[in-house]
Amino acid sequence: MIIDKVIYTYQKEGFRTLLKKVAKKITGTPTGDHSEKIDLTNLPLMPSLNDISGIDYQIPQVKPPKLNKKHLNIVWVIPPVGPGGGGHTTITRFARYLQKQGHLVSFSIYNNNTMLQSNKEAEEVLRKSYNIQTKVKDISELSEEDVIFATSWETAYGVYNIKTKGHKFYFVQDFEPMFFGVGSRYMLAEATYKFGFYGVTAGKWLTEKVKKYGMEADYFDFGVDTEIYRSKKQIVQKEKKKKIAFYARAHTERRGFELGILALKMFKEKHPEFEIVFFGQDVSNYEIPFEYTNSGMLTPAELSKLYQESIACLVLSLTNVSLLPLELLAAGCVPVMNGGENNTIVLDGVEGIAYTEAFPPNLARKLCQIVEANNIEENAQKISENIKNKSWDKSYEKVEKIILREVTMNE
């Protein structure tokens, strides 16, 4: 199916590759015949022209009156959904919690000009891949919901144009303008923080970013699933192997893939005895200048085992921080990360992370320091123990309180 191919390409090869393939499909192989023109009002991976033209964010949004009710009708407007998406994983975590608290939770797919997904397809993926049983509605049907969440910059355009008395929120997981070079998509994404929605952001750094655009917002802290990454029946591996891991996402610009490759080459020259394990994407079509293990996409259980065996993991986050550092710490693996407020503000007070500049020699030196330390096993136990109270539960509760505070008379 077309949607499956599109989602697969997006997840495996990233936005830029998908965009190139779509453009090639639209334009065809160059033959000198320019009779088939590119429709600039129907570009791939963009909000619809109707949704863009219907917005005037200089007109202040009127907040709906607060409701005298405890359980709310909440809908999440999401991009087309495929298995294994990090953003969808976090969204559905909170949606499942809200369901358990008695709220009526549903979803709606915002179909852009490339990824077209039916409600039935989306319901199946949400059930099978994200363990949530819920109704998926057409965006045109939304009008009676109490709370409507935009969840990405494209969906914000659809949510803005919904005619409703419901309260509009924006679930912000990253500063999405930075996903692009400075151009049309950057400007369109940046504008969404001026739409008048109430922001719920993944970490404090994003709250501060969106407030610069006049957006009211509150944040939740990152958590870790301790049943997976620090099971009660499981202890941290007593003997670490000569192994380090690398979160290798070549198709995701913000993960600094090239920086990581250069740093690891320098590390490998100093420590050829170490196995370097790539995970996060199949990189078999890349020429890597040193010996490595290509693990591709791993299940949570497989990730937990890799983290427990590895002394350190190189995990770069050049926009908002990744979920990985807390998971690594829980499993007794030292995250080696680039410094910067996007990481340090969100993970303030978290012990055991090795920060340095996002520059290959600095990253390589930091990895060497970690593997050359005398207290590797002791440190693994310590950092795992320090993270045991970082479950998602407090974050789930906080987000529900934010919603009730903004929408109801009861908080």
Side-chain angles (χ1 to χ4, degrees), residues 310-369:
S310 302
I311 296 174
C313 178
L314 181 58
V315 52
L316 301 175
S317 295
L318 305 179
T319 54
N320 199 34
V321 68
S322 165
L323 295 173
L324 266 66
L326 294 183
E327 296 170 355
L328 290 161
L329 290 167
C333 182
V334 178
V336 175
M337 299 177 59
N338 55 295
E341 290 186 344
N342 57 308
N343 290 322
T344 58
I345 287 178
V346 179
L347 298 175
D348 183 38
V350 176
E351 298 179 7
I353 298 172
Y355 289 111
T356 188
E357 290 185 43
F359 185 59
N362 299 49
L363 295 166
R365 277 193 294 270
K366 186 61 69 173
L367 285 167
C368 289
Q369 289 171 12

Side-chain angles (χ1 to χ4, degrees), residues 150-209:
T151 59
S152 67
W153 75 275
E154 308 104 305
T155 66
Y157 283 86
V159 169
Y160 185 99
N161 285 293
I162 295 171
K163 306 302 180 187
T164 177
K165 294 180 181 179
H167 293 251
K168 295 180 179 180
F169 285 76
Y170 197 164
F171 195 76
V172 183
Q173 296 190 64
D174 213 330
F175 188 68
E176 293 184 312
M178 291 176 69
F179 290 6
F180 314 101
V182 178
S184 301
R185 287 176 179 80
Y186 185 105
M187 302 306 293
L188 288 169
E190 188 181 41
T192 62
Y193 305 129
K194 304 174 184 178
F195 284 4
F197 305 154
Y198 192 91
V200 177
T201 75
K204 192 174 182 180
W205 179 70
L206 284 171
T207 303
E208 295 179 3
K209 291 287 285 186

Side-chain angles (χ1 to χ4, degrees), residues 69-83:
K69 61 194 298 189
K70 183 178 180 181
H71 295 126
L72 300 171
N73 184 347
I74 302 171
V75 62
W76 301 77
V77 181
I78 60 175
V81 56

